[in-house]
Amino acid sequence: MAPLDSPHSKMAAGRPRPGAVERRRRPGCPCGGPGARGAGPCSPWWLRLRTLSGGRGDPHRPRESFAVCSVPPAMDRKQKQAEKARPCGLLKQTALNKIVGRFQLHQEALPHLPVPPLQQTLDRYLLALEPIISPEELSHTQQLVAEFRKPGGVGERLQKGLERRAKKTENWLSDWWLKTAYLEYRLPVVVHSSPGVVLPKQDFLDRQGQLRFAAKLIEGILDFKAMIDNETLPVEYMGGKPLCMNQYYQILSSCRIPGPKRDSIVNYAKGKKQSRHITVVHNFQFFELDVYHSDGSPLTADQLFIQLEKIWNTSLQTNKEPIGILTTNHRNSWAKAYNNLLKDKTNKESVRAIEKSICTVCLDAPMPRVSEDIYKSRVAAQMLHGGGSRLNSGNRWFDKTLQFIIAEDGSCGLVYEHAPSEGPPIVALLDHIVEFTKKPETGKSPTVHLPMPKKLRFNITPEIKNDIENAKQNLNIMVEDLDIKVMVFHQFGKGFPKSEKISPDAFIQLALQLAYYRMYGRACATYESASLRMFRLGRTDTIRSASVDSLKFVKSMDSPDKSDQEKADLLRKATQAHREYTDMAIRGNAIDRHLLGLKLQAIEDLVSIPELFMDTAYAVAMHFNLSTSQVPAKTDCVMCFGPVVPDGYGVCYNPMEEHINFAISAFNSCADTNAARMAHYLEKALLDMRILLQAAPKSKL
């Protein structure tokens, strides 16, 4: 098990989860539109509250959303015509050269991630500890901080080391973060790292309905891929400033590769031999499906449907050995099994075909029938882990960055491997695809001869069979342990807090604080992630939602000694404090990544770990009992993920105008946590806060 403060230990700082903060577009927004509502000169698809989510791969894993305007500034008519004229097929090398230059020009114009002032971070660290540790513990930590911050002391030396690193690199944090938060994380990616997304249920009349929807979905993926390949995907903006677009170029044609101590990521999106195929899985059998014609044009939905029917008819019997189940195992065990699997030439060719594919499409068997009230919760579990070895877990390759899931019963969604990207590119892709699937067909495609999709074969030795059996057992234990509840809160959506001039995200975060306090009688370290995409190669930092102000509010809420007006004032003050922390974080001035950087700098310098990082208070601060994420999408969907500590909750939410979608997870192995109970307390907190605000008129804080 990783040390308590490692970003990926179960007992560690929570892996980043989506957590989001809505921000209104400022007057300087280059599109000149009226606000983040999809109105005005911007197309609604490109302009909306978008999740800028935190990395789910590590103990710092929540997310956050902002009003994002994705319209390039001042594009004249000729430029627009040139954009439309760009080909949508596979890129030729000449086009690729232009694209690289254009993308690099944008990236190089972005500022570098700053190293925050040391004294500022230490002061804010002590402030963040106040609501979650005892006064005695805080007093001890104050002494350690005083020692650490002495002029000429260890803190100053490590700070100078970080500043030197920042001058020499594109982003002083990004490589460290990728390794510590994801690639060196050894627990299975299933449940512990990879988020799932539950999309609206489809009504398939028959098997052909499932395949036609899958064909249209694949066509939508290729349509989005063309915008990435041709760089017609508009640059996103936040507060009038362009955002790093690098993650959009990492999510397609990429895959995680297991290693004995550290994994790696391969990407086949660039270069002369770009990926031309996707992987389709049905009945635990993998197929390589070419999705481009020889001239580089993509297959149409009609043509894709024909190919999917061929795959279906070739795989009517379930494969006895679900090879994909190996990807669900502990990373060290999977790395060993992976090397063993690749000793055989046929196996190696099949694995490489999966790794090089643009994405994976999983044609699932129907879920077992359940009552309507738990249906969405079961779908969420299917998206996260596939339901176990007897259901659809073998119908996956969990190392693949993007896996789209379409079941016979109409349940559908996605699971993604988190290392290459946060939520925004995934949400943008999903929204685009869902809209694309609603478009009417433009007419019958011309009949052309299409080659039979290639079945990927595996030779199963007794040793590989044993690895599969072990992976099945371990996965089924995880499946049984995951407690997940999807709740649609119908009483109001983000419109209500907005009407009270309160950030919807801050309102929901405060409701989570109130629910947790009522359940456990204390505050806890809470993770919500702030996007650092304002900086080159920026990933995330942490918004600490448990604050001195939030604790004052939750303590007052059920106190008979406070008037409604006092409680409402404390509520507003706490939401304002949350917004201020968010603003600080997105400008690179939060504390978590800076503290992590100082610690990693000490390790790199081969000096002993400073006492500050061995302190109990630091372990408490990094033990995120609430790992939360706002992932707003245009689509009425919800993202879900597992908790980041054994006694914690994973909470993801998508605030729509009139309702809020929540997914809450916990572990059954912890007697103190219960997802349905948390959902109940959260619903009550939201309603009580609304009643309070309606009862108490606004007053100047």
Side-chain angles (χ1 to χ4, degrees):
M1 182 172 286
L4 284 180
D5 49 348
S6 103
H8 266 315
S9 133
K10 275 290 257 183
M11 301 292 296
R15 305 187 287 272
R17 307 290 194 199
V21 175
E22 289 188 328
R23 307 184 63 215
R24 295 190 173 185
R25 181 160 4 108
R26 297 182 181 166
C29 177
C31 83
R37 298 184 182 175
C42 300
S43 158
W45 188 86
W46 294 112
L47 176 60
R48 65 177 175 278
L49 290 175
R50 170 76 52 76
T51 287
L52 299 180
S53 119
R56 249 211 59 85
D58 89 337
H60 312 310
R61 244 207 259 149
R63 294 146 181 151
E64 135 155 2
S65 79
F66 302 89
V68 173
C69 168
S70 313
V71 178
M75 184 183 281
D76 64 27
R77 186 176 299 172
K78 286 183 180 178
Q79 280 179 289
K80 288 177 182 175
Q81 288 171 344
E83 296 294 354
K84 287 179 182 176
R86 283 183 176 270
C88 288
L90 290 170
L91 298 171
K92 295 182 179 174
Q93 192 59 31
T94 52
L96 187 68
N97 290 337
K98 289 179 185 175
I99 282 171
V100 169
R102 179 175 159 192
F103 173 63
Q104 290 302 332
L105 279 174
H106 166 70
Q107 290 297 108
E108 287 168 12
L110 295 169
H112 288 256
L113 180 68
V115 178
L118 179 63
Q119 305 300 336
Q120 170 185 290
T121 290
L122 295 175
D123 289 342
R124 288 173 176 171
Y125 173 54
L126 290 172
L127 199 61
L129 289 175
E130 274 191 50
I132 58 173
I133 64 173
S134 69
E136 295 76 25
E137 289 172 315
L138 184 61
S139 176
H140 175 68
T141 302
Q142 284 169 338
Q143 293 173 32
L144 295 180
V145 167
E147 183 66 27
F148 188 79
R149 77 195 320 166
K150 280 182 179 175
V154 62
E156 195 172 284
R157 290 201 305 274
L158 295 176
Q159 176 76 1
K160 285 178 180 175
L162 273 189
E163 289 166 353
R164 284 193 298 271
R165 178 183 172 90
K167 286 177 182 175
K168 291 187 296 184
T169 58
E170 258 197 297
N171 183 306
W172 65 263
L173 176 65
S174 58
D175 282 348
W176 272 347
W177 183 249
L178 182 64
K179 290 172 188 172
T180 59
Y182 299 104
L183 302 182
E184 290 172 358
Y185 184 52
R186 298 288 85 194
L187 286 178
V189 294
V190 179
V191 173
H192 299 289
S193 178
S194 297
V197 180
V198 179
L199 289 172
K201 187 177 188 295
Q202 301 297 312
D203 293 319
F204 302 140
L205 298 176
D206 51 21
R207 169 176 63 84
Q208 285 204 344
Q210 179 193 16
L211 299 186
R212 288 204 178 279
F213 180 78
K216 192 72 177 175
L217 179 139
I218 295 165
E219 192 180 28
I221 295 167
L222 299 180
D223 189 65
F224 192 87
K225 182 178 183 295
M227 290 190 286
I228 293 174
D229 290 345
N230 301 334
E231 297 216 7
T232 54
L233 197 63
V235 171
E236 293 176 337
Y237 283 80
M238 179 171 64
K241 295 186 178 179
L243 300 181
C244 177
M245 298 296 286
N246 181 61
Q247 291 171 37
Y248 280 95
Y249 297 85
Q250 312 304 322
I251 59 174
L252 295 171
S253 309
S254 60
C255 193
R256 183 163 171 162
I257 309 293
K261 292 182 180 178
R262 179 195 293 164
D263 294 351
S264 56
I265 300 288
V266 292
N267 189 301
Y268 295 93
K270 299 181 180 72
K272 292 181 181 178
K273 293 188 176 179
Q274 291 187 36
S275 304
R276 298 176 59 92
H277 69 277
I278 64 169
T279 314
V280 178
V281 206
H282 179 239
N283 279 337
F284 305 168
Q285 295 165 67
F286 288 79
F287 292 81
E288 180 182 323
L289 171 57
D290 280 346
V291 289
Y292 292 98
H293 295 290
S294 57
D295 65 355
S297 61
L299 268 63
T300 63
D302 283 342
Q303 293 163 344
L304 289 163
F305 171 74
I306 291 167
Q307 297 297 76
L308 292 175
E309 270 207 316
K310 291 177 186 174
I311 287 171
W312 181 283
N313 293 329
T314 313
S315 53
L316 293 175
Q317 297 300 313
T318 301
N319 196 341
K320 290 188 177 69
E321 299 299 341
I323 195 77
I325 215 100
L326 290 171
T327 64
T328 68
N329 221 346
H330 186 280
R331 300 308 294 178
N332 291 353
S333 303
W334 168 217
K336 190 177 176 185
Y338 179 86
N339 289 334
N340 184 42
L341 186 66
L342 265 60
K343 288 176 185 174
D344 179 275
K345 186 184 175 186
T346 300
N347 294 347
K348 187 173 184 177
E349 287 175 356
S350 295
V351 169
R352 290 289 182 261
I354 295 169
E355 291 169 352
K356 290 179 179 181
S357 64
I358 294 163
C359 64
T360 297
V361 173
C362 311
L363 301 174
D364 273 13
M367 289 195 327
R369 288 179 180 247
V370 293
S371 61
E372 191 62 34
D373 59 322
I374 65 167
Y375 173 77
K376 285 188 176 181
S377 300
R378 288 293 173 86
V379 176
Q382 284 286 313
M383 296 307 123
L384 282 176
H385 54 54
S389 62
R390 292 198 178 116
L391 288 175
N392 292 302
S393 298
N395 225 44
R396 306 279 187 275
W397 193 268
F398 280 100
D399 284 6
K400 197 70 193 147
T401 306
L402 288 175
Q403 294 194 96
F404 297 89
I405 299 159
I406 304 138
E408 284 182 50
D409 62 346
S411 55
C412 59
L414 167 143
V415 60
Y416 76 99
E417 199 288 300
H418 212 316
S421 169
E422 263 74 62
I426 310 300
V427 170
L429 172 62
L430 275 178
D431 280 346
H432 181 76
I433 291 168
V434 169
E435 285 304 305
F436 193 92
T437 59
K438 296 173 184 175
K439 288 182 180 179
E441 290 298 326
T442 52
K444 268 287 184 189
S445 304
T447 305
V448 294
H449 172 71
L450 297 167
M452 180 69 194
K454 179 184 176 184
K455 181 169 181 176
L456 302 179
R457 302 193 179 275
F458 292 90
N459 295 321
I460 308 296
T461 64
E463 192 176 356
I464 293 170
K465 183 172 173 55
N466 186 55
D467 289 335
I468 290 172
E469 290 306 311
N470 288 337
K472 279 184 185 177
Q473 289 177 17
N474 294 334
L475 171 72
N476 290 337
I477 291 168
M478 278 196 294
V479 167
E480 288 300 313
D481 196 24
L482 183 68
D483 173 23
I484 189 159
K485 169 74 174 175
V486 172
M487 174 182 81
V488 182
F489 179 78
H490 285 293
Q491 285 80 355
F492 59 84
K494 61 186 176 184
F496 170 69
K498 280 182 178 177
S499 71
E500 293 287 332
K501 303 292 190 289
I502 292 174
S503 153
D505 181 71
F507 188 87
I508 293 167
Q509 284 291 324
L510 206 55
L512 282 165
Q513 292 298 311
L514 179 56
Y516 192 91
Y517 187 82
R518 283 172 165 175
M519 289 175 75
Y520 298 102
R522 62 182 176 86
C524 69
T526 305
Y527 187 108
E528 185 186 5
S529 134
S531 171
L532 294 177
R533 284 179 61 208
M534 207 178 275
F535 305 100
R536 198 183 308 181
L537 301 183
R539 295 290 299 244
T540 64
D541 209 324
T542 307
I543 301 165
R544 288 189 168 266
S545 301
S547 66
V548 172
D549 290 301
S550 72
L551 186 58
K552 284 178 183 175
F553 163 69
V554 299
K555 280 183 172 180
S556 79
M557 190 61 182
D558 298 318
S559 169
D561 300 330
K562 298 279 186 184
S563 68
D564 283 352
Q565 187 63 63
E566 288 174 305
K567 293 174 186 178
D569 288 348
L570 288 170
L571 187 160
R572 290 181 181 279
K573 189 176 179 186
T575 56
Q576 186 57 35
H578 185 273
R579 288 298 305 275
E580 287 168 4
Y581 200 110
T582 300
D583 288 345
M584 176 185 80
I586 64 173
R587 284 166 176 73
N589 280 308
I591 63 172
D592 281 72
R593 300 302 181 266
H594 188 197
L595 290 171
L596 176 67
L598 292 166
K599 183 183 172 186
L600 293 175
Q601 187 67 47
I603 294 169
E604 196 162 279
D605 292 349
L606 300 176
V607 300
S608 59
I609 303 294
E611 280 189 62
L612 185 69
F613 302 115
M614 309 301 286
D615 182 25
T616 304
Y618 187 75
V620 172
M622 298 300 158
H623 188 88
F624 292 105
N625 292 90
L626 279 176
S627 181
T628 72
S629 173
Q630 177 179 237
V631 184
K634 183 179 177 182
T635 306
D636 194 5
C637 63
V638 65
M639 189 176 277
C640 48
F641 43 78
V644 300
V645 292
D647 56 342
Y649 294 93
V651 184
C652 193
Y653 49 98
N654 177 14
M656 309 297 284
E657 201 61 40
E658 302 297 333
H659 65 277
I660 308 170
N661 297 327
F662 287 98
I664 301 167
S665 66
F667 289 122
N668 288 315
S669 52
C670 178
D672 292 334
T673 57
N674 183 292
R677 189 163 170 256
M678 170 56 84
H680 168 76
Y681 274 88
L682 177 57
E683 183 174 27
K684 187 174 188 316
L686 287 163
L687 292 171
D688 288 352
M689 286 165 61
R690 178 176 70 170
I691 290 167
L692 178 64
L693 288 173
Q694 289 174 333
K698 299 181 184 70
S699 68
K700 292 182 180 178
L701 296 178

